[in-house]
Amino acid sequence: MRVDLIKYINLIRELISNKIDADTYVGRYFQLFQDETGEMTDEEYNILNGLFCDADDSEDVPELFPEFYITEQELRNRAKVALKKLKKLVKNTEDK
């Protein structure tokens, strides 16, 4: 079975539209990604794993890990970039 990118797209949309806060997003994203059983291409994995790392970096304590910590706004910005990539992948899949 293939990975369902739409569930990730919907979660990201909730974050960037401020329907959910960063803490809610991070918790839901961790659960979604860790429970994922669908097959992914390398490109899909790189995008989704990058989002996982971004979520993890937003959880870091800035005083302890300043080189890794990202703010909530940076998390939203990175999620927007990933959203564009995921939407492009979905569109390319639908066009085939």
Side-chain angles (χ1 to χ4, degrees):
M1 181 172 73
R2 296 275 313 130
V3 63
D4 179 8
L5 296 178
I6 299 301
K7 60 188 176 185
Y8 292 95
I9 288 171
N10 289 338
L11 180 57
I12 295 166
R13 283 181 174 155
E14 288 184 53
L15 173 69
I16 63 177
S17 67
N18 293 312
K19 289 184 180 174
I20 59 174
D21 63 19
D23 288 336
T24 301
Y25 167 82
V26 167
R28 288 175 53 192
Y29 191 87
F30 283 161
Q31 193 66 52
L32 186 63
F33 189 72
Q34 290 171 338
D35 291 347
E36 185 59 62
T37 59
E39 293 181 26
M40 297 180 208
T41 65
D42 287 343
E43 186 175 12
E44 291 166 341
Y45 176 79
N46 289 336
I47 295 167
L48 296 177
N49 188 59
L51 283 168
F52 186 92
C53 292
D54 291 341
D56 187 49
D57 288 347
S58 75
E59 294 269 287
D60 286 335
V61 178
E63 296 80 23
L64 297 177
F65 305 103
E67 66 275 15
F68 297 112
Y69 176 74
I70 63 171
T71 65
E72 182 170 339
Q73 186 57 50
E74 182 62 23
L75 177 64
R76 290 178 193 279
N77 292 342
R78 292 181 185 189
K80 283 180 190 178
V81 171
L83 177 62
K84 289 179 186 177
K85 292 177 183 178
L86 290 173
K87 287 168 56 177
K88 184 177 179 182
L89 288 177
V90 168
K91 183 180 182 326
N92 289 343
T93 302
E94 291 172 350
D95 289 345
K96 291 181 180 179

